[in-house]
Amino acid sequence: EALVINDPDFQHEDLNFLSRSQRYEQAIRKSSLMVMKLREYGIADPEEIYWFKSFVHRGRPEPLDLHLGMFLPTLLTQATPEQQDRFFMPAWNLEIIGTYAQTEMGHGTHLRGLETTATYDPATQEFILNSPTVTSIKWWPGGLGKTSNHAIVLAQLYTQGQCKGLHAFIVPIRQLGTHEPLPGITVGDIGPKFGYDEMDNGYLKMDNFRIPRENMLMKYAQVEPDGTYVKPLSDKLTYGTMVFIRSLIVGDSARSLSRACTIAIRYSAVRHQSELKQGEPEPQILDYQTQQYKLFPLLATAYAFHFVGAYIKDTYHRISGDINEGDLSELPELHALTAGLKAFTSWTANAGIEECRMACGGHGYSRCSGIPDIYVTFTPSCTYEGENTVMMLQTARFLVKSYTQVSSGQRVTGMVSYLNDLSRQRIQPQHVAARTVTVRINDPVSLVDAYKARAARLVEAAAKNLQTELNHRRSKEDAWNRTSVDLVRASEAHCHYVIVKLFTAKLSEISNAAVRAVMTELCLLYALYGISKNAGDFLQAGILTDAQITQVNQHVKELLAIIRPNAVALVDSFDFHDVHLGSVLGRYDGNVYENMFEWAKKSPLNKTQVHESFHKHLKPMQAKL
Amino acid sequence: SVNPDLASERQTASFSVEKLTAWLDGGAEYTRMRRAVVQAIESDPVFSTENQYFQSQNERYEAAVRKAVHLQKKMHEMGWTDNSPEFKYIYRAVSGDIAFLLHRIFMRSITVLGSDKQIAKWIPLATQYQLIGSYAQTELGHGTYLQGLETTAVFDITTQEFILNTPKISAMKWWPGDMGRSATHTVVFAQLYIHGKCYGVHPFIVQIRSLQDHSLCPGITAGDIGPKMSFEHADNGFLMLQNVRVPRENMLNKFCEVQPDGTYVRRGSQQINYFTMTTVRISLISDEVVMPLMKACTIAVRYSVVRRQSTLKPGEQEAKILDYQTQQEKLLPQVAAAYAFHFTNNYLQELYNRGYSEIQRKNFDMLPELHALSSGFKAIITQFCTSAVEICLRACGGHGYSLLSGLPSLYTKILASCIYEGENTILLLQTARFLIKCFKAAKAGQPIPPSVTYLAAVKLGKCPARNKLDFLSPHIYTEAYEHMAIRLISSTAAKLQDLIQSGIKKYDAWNQCTVQLAQAAKAHCHYITVKNFAETVEKLEPKAGIQTIMKHLCDLFALHGIFSNAGAFLHDGYISGAQMDMVTASYLDLLPVIRKDAVPLVDAFDFTDKNLNSALGSYDGQVYQRLYEWAQKSPTNKQVSPAYEKYLKPLLHNTLSKL
């Protein structure tokens, strides 16, 4: 970190004052330098590269993201040895800069709907790539607009007159040397977005563009010279990559929310406003209960998500050994779980960042607070790598499947094992709701049980509603659609349970007593706040009584006061450097107002004392009227 | 030509869109007038917003000034004045992207707070744009809490002047619109000192820039506060004052005056100050809050019938995404909310007009109620509509994040409304203070204002609904909301009482209850919104043909609120667990019914394509073509990027070391 922050080459003007095209230019400059420095320092470990990169770009996207994060890894995992010889070293040396072109204007998460075609021509042993409709134009890939000269294109493969589904092809798009688009290729930038200013997200249209047969990534599926198609062995393998990327998003949810909390909590300790007691000095706004109620549950959430991200990563690393040996048994559950957790954490963090910004009042709205930037950079994660609602429904599919297994007498394992308890209750006529859980609201372990009961109840309710719809002789798809709101609720309850469980489990691993104490308070706050906000579920299922809910609400407020003295220390522990935080309000030294003034003086509108608009518009108007 | 996927939606409308539009406008004659104004503005190229998404902060600011200047000419040409009925449609037609809005606040503050003599002096100058005004209240260190402002104005008897100063950095004026680059004058709010005694915050007219060359006046430091999340067109500014002297006559003195010998005189009621805030809060609801939500709904709903994704039935064409239950559950409650708050706004306007005429007759009785209601409604409507716009944005998948969708700009702009004109949490607590007071008065048998009389009639009991259809009866759900509001207000009042009786100081007790108090205030406003929606629908004449669909929307709005706040209704068992299942069933049943009219319902908002400025939401539904066309217009595609020659080329050729 210090390596980057102290390097004068990586310094530049505050990005808030630059235009889009200047920001793109700065990002490219830094990426180029970064590649050089990585070589210079001999940094090659992926984890170290990741950290180096995140310090260079301060956690912001950059045009080479897709080259480093998708193009190179895809070559490694899906290219044949011959293809690796041809493409990997040039790509490693950045003679080839690639991107990954999957999403089209008309289709995103629903991959089977992609329309780009790759038709095999045995006469010339080439694939002919086409964008047959407007909706089939590749749209959004990062680095595609201006930076890349190659792309891995996902297209429907046609050979011998048959469609064989989606496959990946290496497509050159710009001339090496001049960087001009190749004939048959239309490529450009998709225009301004909500954030991601430094990224040239692009479009790509192909008209009868021919590439050699050897440019199809053929480690798994193959097309032989005569056009014969050879099927891949398993399609579950791609799950691994998805799990990995979604686990990164969970980590990103934790980090982005932590940054926003750091800014909002430090600023709330610096800002004084109004009066609590007549005649006394204005208190820090962090002393107001409403302010604590906004921020501390988010602080607890940031910690919770941090542990969830670590758990998924560890589990992935643990089972990826098995995967390489062909044992895919644990993959479906992890895949289903990460889909839901990706959606749950990104939705929550997204709303949480906004809450933090709002908690900073008017100044939160200024770009100098840094929170608008965190928000616009983070919010697309609710959509990319799988639209959140679709992700929730994937998890629901797994939950319903597990429920059905339990109903037919089989046992399920892992995080869904609580569904096994449902079969034991089948003997009793009333549903799971009637089961009484003795909940002790001061005990995290007991709260895990409460969340477990809620998840079981909502999964069962959704599965039963689905069955009712099916009994009305609706088609499977129709019944599923008519139950999808219930199914999403079930998934949310399941994810919420998993998070409370993981947070609670983490407590016993903490050896330092003081740290364990404060983490226990945060864990309790996280769990109780969640109950308070979803009181309806707990009341309706009879898991908690009215009186207990009142106690929960009361205890939440007591915890706020308990956490208050440690609030700043808890965000300091996230250990964000000021440069990385990029916020005047969240500075470590708390000198907020002086620095806001310094920052504003640099605004482009202040470049001249009298703005040119005065001479162009104001003066003539005053003269005329 | 209209995309067939969108055209088919319009053919099956269950009501006349034109009739609904006229009803929303308050009569067909207003619809005609609004369209004429919009037409006049949009056909004028100076007001074009075509390249707005590609412009820098500097360019946006310049365009806003150009438009504001041109608007004066246009109004003159068209024979519109600030008082003519057309005026309120102008702002809608220019989509708010215009300078000098604070100039109007400057004028309004002089009209309300100034003496007749001051009005006679300043208003003609301002009307003629001989000066450009701003309104400098907020400081770096203080916003909603006005008493905390730190700017000082010290009266100097010898010269009969006020000396204005910014004594420390947190006292610097910060945020006022039009002040960064445009304004020549501003109304500065400062702590008044006479003979060393502080008399509280008062308004002073201060000149900040030369009328000749626009340079800053002596003692003034001013400029732009830098980029924000939105409002690129506005030059929100900072202002520092160093021994700036203004004549005694520059203190706005309708209600308070400093006489030449330094005697301080107060006239009339202080309450009138609240009335200005009430006016602003009510006036922003329609244009700044409800209308952006209507636009966002229009864009998201139209796009959702053009976008097809995945299949609902095997072998069939991909389904419109609006046919998915989850998509309906995201968007349709937002459409219902847009209607609900449109009617709430009408309700508030009516209340305001009544209050205003009472004040003219020097009767200030309605002020507390009006102040409390405008605070609470400003808070819940801005909060609700802001999250609703964000839901619309995220319901449009990846394309929602493109600025060309129009949604990011709508969102970043509306979300400022949660802060300006009073931070929402503080406003809710003001409403709560009023409610607690009324509740106590009601218990003591004293008279209370009409909007809260329900607090006097505490009814116990349970929700009488027996099946899911019962929850489509307005009196059933309205009573449920009423019960919940009473429960939250009375339990919070009891808690406050307990704390105080247990010896805790009043202010500490208040702070310990603020989370509950804010919830109680929200519950009250939610209840009034539902009740008002139901009453509005009831009053509709059946022959209009729009009653059925409005009834569905009202049901949906009410049931969505119960479904999303189930805990609050289940608590104390007013609604049982089994009844909550009925609510859910009824709520979900309504979605496919309203789905059929979704496009006509947003068409009725009657936004032109230019006004929406969205590649996803245009009337003809040619989404993908437009997205592609607009992207090609992006400057990033026109200019040769210097990044290639400077950085990419050396990188591609591995000659970086030469850099």
Side-chain angles (χ1 to χ4, degrees):
Chain A
E1 182 171 0
L3 209 60
V4 176
I5 288 169
N6 300 327
D7 190 331
D9 287 345
F10 287 121
Q11 307 306 317
H12 52 78
E13 199 179 342
D14 190 316
L15 292 175
N16 286 305
F17 302 131
L18 301 182
S19 72
R20 233 200 110 203
S21 147
Q22 290 166 322
R23 283 174 81 149
Y24 168 69
E25 199 181 319
Q26 280 297 343
I28 283 278
R29 186 181 70 84
K30 288 203 291 182
S31 296
S32 308
L33 271 167
M34 176 184 76
V35 173
M36 288 292 299
K37 304 244 169 186
L38 284 171
R39 303 282 153 86
E40 197 180 301
Y41 299 132
I43 298 174
D45 177 62
E47 198 96 337
E48 281 181 38
I49 292 182
Y50 177 83
W51 287 111
F52 193 85
K53 196 171 100 66
S54 82
F55 290 129
V56 169
H57 291 282
R58 299 168 195 177
R60 305 196 48 73
E62 52 109 355
L64 294 185
D65 274 350
L66 275 273
H67 177 76
L68 300 171
M70 288 299 286
F71 190 79
L72 289 175
T74 308
L75 283 181
L76 281 176
T77 54
Q78 296 187 39
T80 62
E82 181 274 327
Q83 289 172 323
Q84 296 204 3
D85 283 349
R86 248 190 320 143
F87 293 110
F88 193 78
M89 279 325 284
W92 181 250
N93 289 328
L94 290 155
E95 286 155 39
I96 288 178
I97 297 179
T99 177
Y100 190 81
Q102 175 175 297
T103 301
E104 296 173 359
M105 209 187 291
H107 288 89
T109 306
H110 179 60
L111 290 183
R112 272 167 301 153
L114 294 178
E115 298 172 279
T116 303
T117 58
T119 310
Y120 185 62
D121 176 3
T124 60
Q125 304 219 0
E126 288 173 321
F127 290 104
I128 309 164
L129 284 136
N130 267 302
S131 309
T133 58
V134 178
T135 45
S136 73
I137 297 172
K138 294 291 176 189
W139 200 269
W140 283 108
L144 173 64
K146 299 275 134 186
T147 313
S148 301
N149 54 26
H150 280 68
I152 288 175
V153 169
L154 270 87
Q156 304 285 356
L157 166 65
Y158 284 84
T159 179
Q160 298 176 333
Q162 278 183 318
C163 179
K164 298 290 180 189
L166 276 188
H167 289 78
F169 303 85
I170 300 176
V171 181
I173 54 176
R174 286 178 188 268
Q175 185 72 49
L176 297 182
T178 65
H179 212 58
E180 290 292 328
L182 293 166
I185 296 285
T186 311
V187 63
D189 175 87
I190 63 163
K193 298 140 298 190
F194 200 22
Y196 274 64
D197 279 352
E198 43 280 280
M199 180 68 101
D200 55 325
N201 296 80
Y203 59 76
L204 171 67
K205 185 168 174 290
M206 293 169 292
D207 296 296
N208 289 317
F209 189 76
R210 287 174 172 260
I211 55 168
R213 184 183 67 92
E214 297 78 21
N215 277 25
M216 174 173 141
L217 289 174
M218 291 211 259
K219 186 167 178 185
Y220 301 110
Q222 283 154 23
V223 172
E224 291 178 350
D226 65 351
T228 308
Y229 178 73
V230 184
K231 263 201 333 204
L233 290 171
S234 166
D235 53 358
K236 274 189 188 156
L237 279 167
T238 50
Y239 280 14
T241 324
M242 285 197 258
V243 167
F244 179 67
I245 291 178
R246 285 170 196 165
S247 79
L248 288 182
I249 295 178
V250 174
D252 198 23
S253 301
R255 246 185 325 276
S256 301
L257 185 57
S258 309
R259 289 173 68 188
C261 283
T262 305
I263 296 167
I265 287 178
R266 284 184 185 160
Y267 176 65
S268 296
V270 170
R271 179 102 171 158
H272 289 256
Q273 204 77 180
S274 195
E275 54 184 20
L276 266 173
K277 297 170 202 179
Q278 214 147 24
E280 292 204 4
E282 295 181 88
Q284 294 165 299
I285 58 174
L286 200 54
D287 287 335
Y288 289 97
Q289 189 189 55
T290 43
Q291 189 76 353
Q292 295 168 0
Y293 191 69
K294 284 177 197 172
L295 295 177
F296 296 168
L298 294 172
L299 179 64
T301 307
Y303 273 96
F305 289 0
H306 176 79
F307 299 132
V308 176
Y311 167 81
I312 301 179
K313 216 164 89 183
D314 292 348
T315 314
Y316 173 75
H317 285 310
R318 182 171 59 76
I319 70 169
S320 59
D322 300 343
I323 296 171
N324 286 340
E325 281 157 31
D327 175 10
L328 304 176
S329 58
E330 280 191 79
L331 203 48
E333 184 188 353
L334 188 62
H335 177 247
L337 184 63
T338 45
L341 287 174
K342 178 261 179 190
F344 189 95
T345 57
S346 61
W347 266 335
T348 311
N350 189 72
I353 295 165
E354 280 299 73
E355 187 77 35
C356 287
R357 186 188 52 70
M358 220 92 90
C360 294
H363 297 329
Y365 196 76
S366 166
R367 297 261 196 103
C368 77
S369 76
I371 305 183
D373 208 47
I374 296 173
Y375 176 75
V376 296
T377 307
F378 178 74
T379 190
S381 61
C382 294
T383 305
Y384 62 54
E385 297 304 331
E387 198 279 329
N388 275 357
T389 303
V390 179
M391 293 299 98
M392 280 297 184
L393 289 171
Q394 275 184 13
T395 302
R397 208 173 278 281
F398 181 79
L399 293 173
V400 169
K401 203 172 129 196
S402 303
Y403 177 81
T404 315
Q405 279 174 348
V406 169
S407 309
S408 63
Q410 296 173 48
R411 288 188 66 77
V412 291
T413 55
M415 288 287 186
V416 288
S417 55
Y418 60 85
L419 293 172
N420 291 326
D421 299 346
L422 291 172
S423 65
R424 262 180 268 136
Q425 289 164 2
R426 185 131 306 113
I427 318 146
Q428 302 161 3
Q430 69 272 59
H431 65 69
V432 61
R435 186 173 63 144
T436 42
V437 191
T438 326
V439 180
R440 296 175 308 278
I441 65 163
N442 276 316
D443 177 7
V445 178
S446 177
L447 296 176
V448 173
D449 283 339
Y451 275 93
K452 188 198 279 186
R454 167 186 177 231
R457 193 252 166 192
L458 288 174
V459 171
E460 180 171 61
K464 282 187 171 161
N465 287 348
L466 181 64
Q467 195 52 48
T468 312
E469 293 289 346
L470 285 169
N471 294 346
H472 285 109
R473 268 171 286 166
R474 298 201 200 280
S475 74
K476 250 161 114 179
E477 291 76 9
D478 202 13
W480 183 263
N481 187 29
R482 284 166 178 272
T483 321
S484 51
V485 169
D486 296 331
L487 290 162
V488 169
R489 283 177 75 192
S491 287
E492 282 174 344
H494 176 69
C495 292
H496 213 155
Y497 152 67
V498 169
I499 295 168
V500 173
K501 184 181 153 86
L502 291 175
F503 199 161
T504 304
K506 201 78 198 168
L507 298 176
S508 58
E509 293 174 25
I510 304 169
S511 50
N512 180 307
V515 175
R516 190 167 59 240
V518 72
M519 280 300 129
T520 305
E521 286 152 16
L522 281 180
C523 179
L524 272 174
L525 180 63
Y526 181 76
L528 293 173
Y529 181 80
I531 292 175
S532 171
K533 283 283 143 184
N534 298 283
D537 291 347
F538 292 90
L539 283 171
Q540 201 181 357
I543 303 164
L544 293 168
T545 62
D546 282 359
Q548 282 176 312
I549 292 287
T550 307
Q551 280 172 31
V552 166
N553 292 338
Q554 186 52 36
H555 200 45
V556 165
K557 284 181 275 181
E558 286 160 15
L559 282 166
L560 298 178
I562 293 171
I563 290 166
R564 168 68 185 88
N566 285 322
V568 171
L570 281 166
V571 296
D572 284 352
S573 306
F574 292 137
D575 199 24
F576 291 110
H577 192 283
D578 275 352
V579 171
H580 194 65
L581 212 50
S583 167
V584 179
L585 301 191
R587 294 169 62 95
Y588 187 80
D589 67 9
N591 293 324
V592 169
Y593 296 128
E594 305 84 312
N595 285 289
M596 276 183 81
F597 187 38
E598 288 310 310
W599 181 85
K601 284 193 231 166
K602 295 181 209 146
S603 166
L605 255 68
N606 291 332
K607 287 263 152 75
T608 55
Q609 194 61 256
V610 176
H611 195 267
E612 55 180 337
S613 290
F614 172 70
H615 302 289
K616 273 163 88 173
H617 306 291
L618 294 180
K619 207 171 176 180
M621 172 181 73
Q622 288 170 337
K624 258 183 251 164
L625 282 169
Chain B
S1 66
V2 175
N3 184 319
D5 280 339
L6 199 45
S8 65
E9 300 282 339
R10 296 189 170 115
Q11 278 151 13
T12 54
S14 78
F15 61 91
S16 152
V17 171
E18 193 60 27
K19 275 188 183 150
L20 180 51
T21 302
W23 185 55
L24 287 175
D25 280 323
E29 65 276 21
Y30 290 103
T31 303
R32 271 194 300 279
M33 186 190 293
R34 175 173 55 74
R35 285 180 183 161
V37 172
V38 170
Q39 163 65 20
I41 299 274
E42 287 184 353
S43 60
D44 188 329
V46 179
F47 293 112
S48 165
T49 49
E50 201 186 324
N51 289 314
Q52 183 175 295
Y53 299 129
F54 304 132
Q55 288 170 339
S56 70
Q57 195 195 352
N58 256 319
E59 290 165 327
R60 287 286 295 276
Y61 166 66
E62 194 192 319
V65 171
R66 191 179 63 231
K67 287 180 194 178
V69 169
H70 187 67
L71 182 62
Q72 299 311 314
K73 205 174 127 202
K74 191 86 191 170
M75 287 177 65
H76 186 71
E77 227 172 78
M78 303 294 297
W80 303 330
T81 69
D82 286 12
N83 302 317
S84 59
E86 287 89 357
F87 187 74
K88 67 172 176 174
Y89 301 121
I90 295 176
Y91 189 76
R92 168 173 167 142
V94 296
S95 294
D97 209 9
I98 193 156
F100 306 160
L101 294 175
L102 267 289
H103 184 68
R104 293 188 191 289
I105 309 265
F106 172 82
M107 288 170 66
R108 192 189 298 159
S109 64
I110 293 175
T111 321
V112 176
L113 304 172
S115 65
D116 292 344
K117 205 170 143 196
Q118 287 172 324
I119 294 172
K121 174 178 175 189
W122 294 101
I123 296 299
L125 287 172
T127 313
Q128 294 292 312
Y129 284 88
Q130 293 303 309
L131 56 85
I132 295 165
S134 172
Y135 182 83
Q137 180 175 299
T138 303
E139 297 173 358
L140 249 183
H142 289 88
T144 306
Y145 179 64
L146 290 184
Q147 291 104 293
L149 295 179
E150 297 171 293
T151 304
T152 57
V154 178
F155 185 57
D156 178 356
I157 296 186
T158 51
T159 60
Q160 294 287 304
E161 287 171 324
F162 294 104
I163 309 163
L164 283 102
N165 266 300
T166 304
K168 56 207 255 208
I169 193 123
S170 56
M172 201 181 330
K173 294 292 173 188
W174 200 270
W175 281 109
D178 289 335
M179 197 170 78
R181 310 298 330 189
S182 304
T184 61
H185 287 67
T186 186
V187 174
V188 171
F189 283 78
Q191 303 283 359
L192 168 65
Y193 284 86
I194 310 168
H195 300 311
K197 188 180 167 206
C198 180
Y199 287 84
V201 174
H202 289 76
F204 302 85
I205 298 179
V206 179
Q207 180 172 357
I208 58 172
R209 288 191 175 87
S210 151
L211 291 172
Q212 264 65 51
D213 62 4
H214 215 60
S215 62
L216 292 172
C217 294
I220 301 282
T221 309
D224 176 78
I225 62 160
K228 298 138 292 187
M229 214 169 173
S230 184
F231 289 88
E232 293 90 344
H233 64 279
D235 54 324
N236 297 81
F238 60 77
L239 171 68
M240 208 159 44
L241 303 146
Q242 278 161 310
N243 292 318
V244 173
R245 290 176 169 263
V246 300
R248 191 178 61 87
E249 297 75 35
N250 276 26
M251 179 172 125
L252 292 176
N253 61 8
K254 186 177 203 165
F255 300 105
C256 321
E257 195 182 6
V258 177
Q259 289 175 346
D261 64 352
T263 312
Y264 179 82
V265 184
R266 190 186 289 276
R267 293 188 268 272
S269 164
Q270 276 293 354
Q271 282 181 318
I272 196 74
N273 283 332
Y274 289 111
F275 193 67
T276 320
M277 285 192 268
T278 303
T279 311
V280 177
R281 279 172 198 155
I282 291 181
S283 70
L284 69 88
I285 289 173
S286 166
D287 282 352
E288 301 294 348
V289 187
V290 178
M291 216 175 292
L293 175 57
M294 288 175 167
K295 283 186 181 177
C297 287
T298 307
I299 296 166
V301 167
R302 286 183 183 162
Y303 176 64
S304 294
V305 299
V306 170
R307 179 91 170 168
R308 288 175 175 273
Q309 206 76 177
S310 195
T311 49
L312 265 176
K313 287 171 194 154
E316 281 194 8
Q317 195 189 2
E318 288 185 84
K320 294 175 175 179
I321 58 174
L322 195 57
D323 287 329
Y324 290 94
Q325 188 189 48
T326 44
Q327 187 76 354
Q328 293 167 6
E329 210 262 327
K330 282 177 200 173
L331 293 180
L332 301 181
Q334 316 317 324
V335 176
Y339 277 91
F341 293 131
H342 175 83
F343 302 130
T344 305
N345 179 53
N346 290 350
Y347 165 81
L348 289 172
Q349 286 293 344
E350 210 173 292
L351 200 70
Y352 172 82
N353 292 339
R354 241 185 307 138
Y356 186 70
S357 54
E358 288 300 315
I359 288 168
Q360 302 293 77
R361 276 184 258 139
K362 301 266 178 251
N363 172 7
F364 299 104
D365 290 353
M366 266 183 82
L367 266 178
E369 183 189 16
L370 203 51
H371 178 65
L373 276 180
S374 68
S375 304
F377 275 108
K378 185 268 178 185
I380 76 148
I381 297 177
T382 54
Q383 203 166 338
F384 203 110
C385 292
T386 299
S387 54
V389 171
E390 203 201 7
I391 290 170
C392 291
L393 189 156
R394 276 194 274 133
C396 291
H399 296 325
Y401 296 103
S402 169
L403 287 198
L404 308 180
S405 76
L407 292 165
S409 314
L410 286 171
Y411 176 65
T412 50
K413 203 167 167 205
I414 193 175
L415 60 81
S417 68
C418 295
I419 307 285
Y420 62 59
E421 295 307 331
E423 196 276 337
N424 278 355
T425 304
I426 298 170
L427 294 187
L428 284 172
L429 291 176
Q430 286 177 4
T431 307
R433 204 177 280 278
F434 169 80
L435 290 171
I436 296 288
K437 214 170 126 188
C438 292
F439 179 75
K440 282 188 194 153
K443 271 180 82 179
Q446 291 157 5
I448 48 176
S451 63
V452 288
T453 43
Y454 74 97
L455 291 175
V458 180
K459 284 173 264 179
L460 291 170
K462 306 276 171 206
C463 172
R466 271 163 306 170
N467 56 54
K468 68 176 182 177
L469 292 180
D470 285 347
F471 277 104
L472 300 179
S473 312
H475 73 268
I476 296 269
Y477 54 69
T478 310
E479 268 171 31
Y481 274 94
E482 181 184 289
H483 178 87
M484 188 211 19
I486 293 178
R487 179 177 68 76
L488 287 172
I489 294 165
S490 62
S491 67
T492 313
K495 171 95 182 292
L496 259 176
Q497 194 66 32
D498 286 354
L499 286 175
I500 292 168
Q501 272 170 4
S502 76
I504 292 174
K505 293 258 165 42
K506 229 172 158 182
Y507 47 77
D508 269 340
W510 181 263
N511 190 30
Q512 282 179 34
C513 290
T514 43
V515 167
Q516 274 168 282
L517 285 162
Q519 277 161 354
K522 270 191 218 175
H524 169 74
C525 295
H526 207 158
Y527 159 59
I528 301 284
T529 305
V530 169
K531 183 164 163 256
N532 178 63
F533 199 165
E535 284 169 1
T536 307
V537 173
E538 228 161 79
K539 277 183 249 158
L540 262 176
E541 288 170 42
K543 68 172 187 223
I546 50 178
Q547 201 190 27
T548 313
I549 185 68
M550 284 299 119
K551 165 77 168 53
H552 289 324
L553 279 182
C554 180
D555 295 348
L556 185 74
F557 179 79
L559 297 184
H560 173 256
I562 301 178
F563 173 78
S564 329
N565 301 291
F569 291 91
L570 286 165
H571 201 115
D572 88 345
Y574 181 79
I575 285 184
S576 69
Q579 283 173 327
M580 194 52 78
D581 284 338
M582 296 173 199
V583 168
T584 308
S586 260
Y587 166 60
L588 295 178
D589 285 349
L590 277 167
L591 296 175
V593 176
I594 295 170
R595 154 72 187 91
K596 293 192 194 104
D597 281 322
V599 170
L601 279 170
V602 296
D603 281 353
F605 296 144
D606 203 30
F607 292 109
T608 62
D609 283 355
K610 281 185 179 162
N611 206 223
L612 285 177
N613 206 8
S614 163
L616 303 188
S618 56
Y619 189 82
D620 67 7
Q622 301 295 354
V623 168
Y624 298 115
Q625 289 82 342
R626 197 165 275 113
L627 205 50
Y628 188 37
E629 249 170 59
W630 287 14
Q632 284 165 311
K633 286 196 283 185
S634 169
T636 37
N637 288 324
K638 278 187 198 146
Q639 306 143 0
V640 182
S641 169
Y644 175 69
E645 282 297 328
K646 271 158 84 179
Y647 305 110
L648 273 182
K649 200 171 169 186
L651 178 69
L652 291 162
H653 297 100
N654 246 324
T655 49
L656 270 167
S657 44
K658 287 178 199 158
L659 270 176

